[in-house]
């Protein structure tokens, strides 16, 4: 599995370098505006907005890479090098999932560190932004959202993110696998794959939205975990069912 993961990272090397290059240029532009700041905050604010938008692009790039690489391998004649080896389909799938997760965590960590540094630099350049943050914190506490509660929700959000992340990627793989098997002779299989993914994601989100919320305002870790437990368990079922289906289709239906 580790050799397969190494192959995944090497395959994405050029794309990751391009993404990193774009981030570096925007970061340098932001730092330049910090160093040349002279009471006119338009350029500095614009550069900060660009960085924020690019962070969102980086997040979605993880899913796009996962879908594109998997689709290319299933629809390329050279994919037999992977799927026709003695390695089981599930080992291949899990190596791709772990590679995507590690890549997502690495990008999130880099963006998190840069975000913390940039926010500190921005607040030093524009002290009013720190006052606004204090005002926002006071407003949230007035409405009953204490800092502790917010941090607790963030922590449980991170814990459930892993399951939700795998569920979304597994739906991507399921959509691509279905298009490469049952829809392999269709000229519109790429479009149908995207539509199928959107449909499956919509259905999963609809089911998740009607699951019970036990505590409106969790006050401790136990209540916070119980609050997200139904949705997390459902996403876990979605993940396992999607990967199981993908493995079966790869073993019996894929035509290379």
């Amino acid at each position: 599995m580790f050799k397969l993961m190494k192959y995944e990272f090497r395959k994405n090397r050029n794309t990751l370098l391009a993404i990193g290059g774009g981030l570096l240029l925007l970061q340098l532009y932001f730092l330049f505006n910090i160093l040349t700041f002279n009471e006119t905050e338009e350029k500095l604010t614009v550069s900060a907005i660009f960085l924020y938008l690019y962070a969102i692009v980086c997040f979605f790039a993880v899913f796009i890479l996962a879908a594109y690489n998997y689709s290319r391998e299933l629809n390329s004649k050279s994919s037999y090098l992977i799927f026709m080896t003695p390695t089981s389909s599930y080992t291949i799938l899990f190596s791709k999932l772990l590679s995507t997760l590690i890549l997502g965590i690495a990008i999130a960590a880099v963006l998190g560190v840069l975000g913390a540094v940039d926010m500190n630099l921005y607040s030093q350049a524009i002290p009013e932004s720190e006052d606004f943050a204090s005002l926002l914190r006071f407003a949230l506490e007035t409405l009953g959202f204490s800092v502790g509660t917010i941090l607790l929700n963030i922590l449980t959000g991170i814990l459930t993110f892993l399951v939700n992340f795998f569920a979304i990627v597994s739906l991507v793989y399921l959509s691509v696998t279905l298009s490469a098997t049952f829809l392999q002779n269709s000229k519109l299989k790429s479009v149908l794959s995207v539509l199928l993914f959107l449909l499956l994601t919509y259905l999963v989100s609809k089911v998740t939205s009607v699951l019970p919320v036990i505590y409106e305002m969790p006050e401790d870790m136990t209540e916070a975990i119980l609050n997200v437990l139904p949705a997390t368990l459902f996403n876990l079922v979605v993940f396992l069912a999607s990967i199981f289906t993908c493995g079966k289709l790869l073993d019996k239906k894929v035509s290379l």
Side-chain angles (χ1 to χ4, degrees), residues 81-151:
L81 293 173
I82 297 177
F83 292 103
M84 298 301 286
T85 61
T87 307
S88 70
S89 298
Y90 292 108
T91 300
I92 296 173
L93 288 171
F94 277 107
S95 69
K96 292 180 178 295
L97 286 168
L98 287 176
S99 300
T100 303
L101 177 63
I102 292 173
L103 178 59
I105 292 176
I107 291 178
V110 171
L111 293 176
V113 171
L114 288 178
V117 173
D118 290 344
M119 288 177 63
N120 184 51
L121 292 174
Y122 189 85
S123 63
Q124 290 181 8
I126 307 177
E128 293 81 1
S129 62
E130 188 173 354
D131 295 336
F132 175 77
S134 301
L135 179 62
L136 180 61
R137 188 184 305 112
F138 174 77
L140 290 173
E141 291 178 352
T142 302
L143 295 173
F145 296 94
S146 65
V147 175
T149 301
I150 294 174
L151 291 176

